[in-house]
């Protein structure tokens, strides 16, 4: 259950960051849209999740977590890239239809959600089953 808590918290952070990047300058300054501020996931959470999974989960769950982790890491790199580019261009918010943001919103975010659901389902199934599955 701790792994699911960690995964969900990181997924919420990712969703908030994508939402914030999708806002235009006008959204933020003229319409007074509020940015969603969530704390950046702690690196120690990764260590905790990995340790718990190594100790208590099946190979299937570890593989699903690894796939999810790789997708979240790719999305996080894109978020940092877009944010850095916007800072370098001295723009509060760039075009929300940029190629990078479209890839993040239309490819990486849906993939993260799909992989997270697969992980959740696998953990739920394993918790309901007697004994460990390898």
């Amino acid at each position: 259950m701790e792994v699911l808590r960690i995964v969900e918290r990181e997924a919420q952070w990712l969703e908030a960051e994508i939402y914030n990047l999708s806002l235009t300058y006008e959204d933020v300054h003229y319409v007074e849209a509020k940015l969603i501020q969530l704390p950046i996931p702690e690196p120690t959470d990764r260590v905790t999740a990995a340790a718990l999974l190594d100790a208590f989960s099946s190979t299937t769950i570890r593989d699903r977590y690894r796939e999810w982790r790789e997708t979240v890491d790719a999305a996080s790199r894109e978020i940092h890239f877009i944010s850095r580019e916007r800072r370098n261009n001295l723009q509060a918010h760039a075009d929300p239809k940029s190629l990078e943001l479209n890839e993040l919103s239309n490819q990486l975010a849906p993939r993260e959600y799909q992989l997270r659901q697969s992980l959740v389902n696998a953990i739920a199934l394993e918790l309901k089953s007697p004994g460990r599955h390898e």
Side-chain angles (χ1 to χ4, degrees):
M1 295 309 293
E2 178 67 10
V3 171
L4 293 177
R5 184 187 65 76
I6 290 168
V7 165
E8 185 60 31
R9 185 171 55 215
E10 190 157 354
Q12 287 180 8
W13 172 82
L14 184 68
E15 290 170 3
E17 291 298 305
I18 293 170
Y19 167 80
N20 290 343
L21 288 173
S22 72
L23 296 174
T24 65
Y25 180 83
E26 289 78 18
D27 289 334
V28 175
H29 293 286
Y30 298 117
V31 183
E32 297 184 19
K34 302 238 190 282
L35 295 173
I36 299 172
Q37 301 293 333
L38 294 176
I40 295 172
E42 295 290 330
T44 53
D45 283 347
R46 288 182 182 208
V47 174
T48 300
L52 289 169
L53 291 171
D54 284 346
F56 300 110
S57 73
S58 67
T59 302
T60 299
I61 289 176
R62 289 192 299 273
D63 288 347
R64 288 192 181 160
Y65 176 80
R66 181 187 44 75
E67 287 180 286
W68 175 83
R69 174 87 265 146
E70 289 170 357
T71 301
V72 169
D73 289 346
S76 182
R77 284 190 299 273
E78 280 297 313
I79 287 168
H80 291 298
F81 172 78
I82 294 167
S83 297
R84 186 178 64 241
E85 286 298 307
R86 288 179 181 184
R87 280 192 307 275
N88 289 343
N89 292 328
L90 301 176
Q91 295 175 335
H93 293 273
D95 179 9
K97 295 178 181 167
S98 71
L99 186 60
E100 295 86 3
L101 188 54
N102 279 335
E103 180 181 345
L104 185 61
S105 296
N106 298 328
Q107 294 175 14
L108 290 172
R111 178 159 172 74
E112 180 280 327
Y113 178 79
Q114 174 190 19
L115 291 170
R116 180 169 24 116
Q117 293 309 308
S118 178
L119 176 62
V120 167
N121 293 338
I123 290 173
L125 181 63
E126 194 164 294
L127 288 173
K128 291 176 186 175
S129 299
R132 282 182 64 168
H133 302 286
E134 289 299 326

